[in-house]
Amino acid sequence: MCEAIKGKSGKQLQGSVVQAAIFEAIKQGHVEFVHEIFRSNPAVGGLLTDENGKTMLQFAIECRQEKVYLFFYKFTGIAPNLLVRIDQFSNTLLHAAAGLSPIEQLNHIQGAALQMQRELQWFKEIEKIVPPKILEVVNVTDGMTARDLFTKNHKELAKEGERSMKETATSCTVVGALIITIMFTAAFTVPGGNNGNTGMPFFLDEKLFKVFIVSDALSLFSSTTSVMTFLGVLTSRYAEADFLESLPKKMIIGLFTLFFSIATMMIAFVSTLCIMLGEKSWIVIPITLLSSAPIVSFAWMQFPLLVEIFISTYGAGIFAEKGRLWEASERFLG
């Protein structure tokens, strides 16, 4: 194919097998194939379109192939006219980003809320590179601007994201409230009891007692913070923009503080056992090991979600290698 397209124009390749192969490669995300084609004939980049008049850059955005998009980003710098090109239905690059991602792309992302966040990240990315006049272009098919089309196409996904976040927040609020109740009660029923004359705890000078008090306080404060944060999630207005950073940030804080409160609660429990039974008692070791089960189970079920939300919100992101790929493409194309 590389040999076949050498020296040919976009018009000569229009409707050919090579054109179909290039667009199929873009759809599947085979950026290496696109690299080779453009190295053989760089002039193809701004001229070749599909049967609906979509450019390759527009098609890559529609298919949510970030590697192919990042490769084409280099060519938008050379040919700015690609940024304002429209297809035969007056769809711009931003209209391509306003459509719902292919289901195979969404399936790689956990949960509707994070899927909605990824869709917003794509839309914001394209919104940054197109000229301002593109924001007001109305397409023929729907008679909408890209922003209105995005809202229409993602209405159900936003509702599903709201439902899933509220379910998670409700469950975690119940757990956090139980921890608050337990740790608040434990603070006034200290292990070993109090001296009847002074009112001070009998084990006040013990190191393990201090561990118990600190752990109890940390667990109480962190669980209270978790509950308040999840209440903020439950009472949020759930606007489109909230899925980009506001809601994920609240979920990160809520899940982390809940995990921390569970961990410190179990430390308080173990320190109480050591005070009551003695540090050398044989029963302390197996109970200590068992006490780690809630921490491990919570980490196993919820920690991957916490990490994914954090990376998706504050990580480098799918467009982080834009500049590095630009330089690599220049070297690759000579």
Side-chain angles (χ1 to χ4, degrees), residues 113-127:
L114 289 180
Q115 291 172 359
M116 186 66 184
Q117 184 191 46
R118 178 60 58 84
E119 293 289 271
L120 283 164
Q121 288 171 343
W122 264 102
F123 191 82
K124 293 293 183 183
E125 168 66 20
I126 307 306
E127 195 175 45

Side-chain angles (χ1 to χ4, degrees), residues 137-174:
V137 173
V138 176
N139 67 355
V140 175
T141 309
D142 305 284
M144 294 181 175
T145 63
R147 167 52 67 183
D148 294 336
L149 186 61
F150 182 91
T151 301
K152 175 188 173 184
N153 290 335
H154 294 83
K155 186 176 181 180
E156 292 302 318
L157 184 62
K159 287 182 178 178
E160 180 63 23
E162 178 181 351
R163 185 190 64 80
S164 64
M165 291 199 85
K166 282 186 174 180
E167 286 181 356
T168 302
T170 300
S171 301
C172 292
T173 300
V174 172

Side-chain angles (χ1 to χ4, degrees), residues 29-41:
H30 297 317
V31 69
E32 297 84 4
F33 180 86
V34 180
H35 266 138
E36 292 294 336
I37 293 293
F38 275 76
R39 187 168 66 170
S40 299
N41 189 350

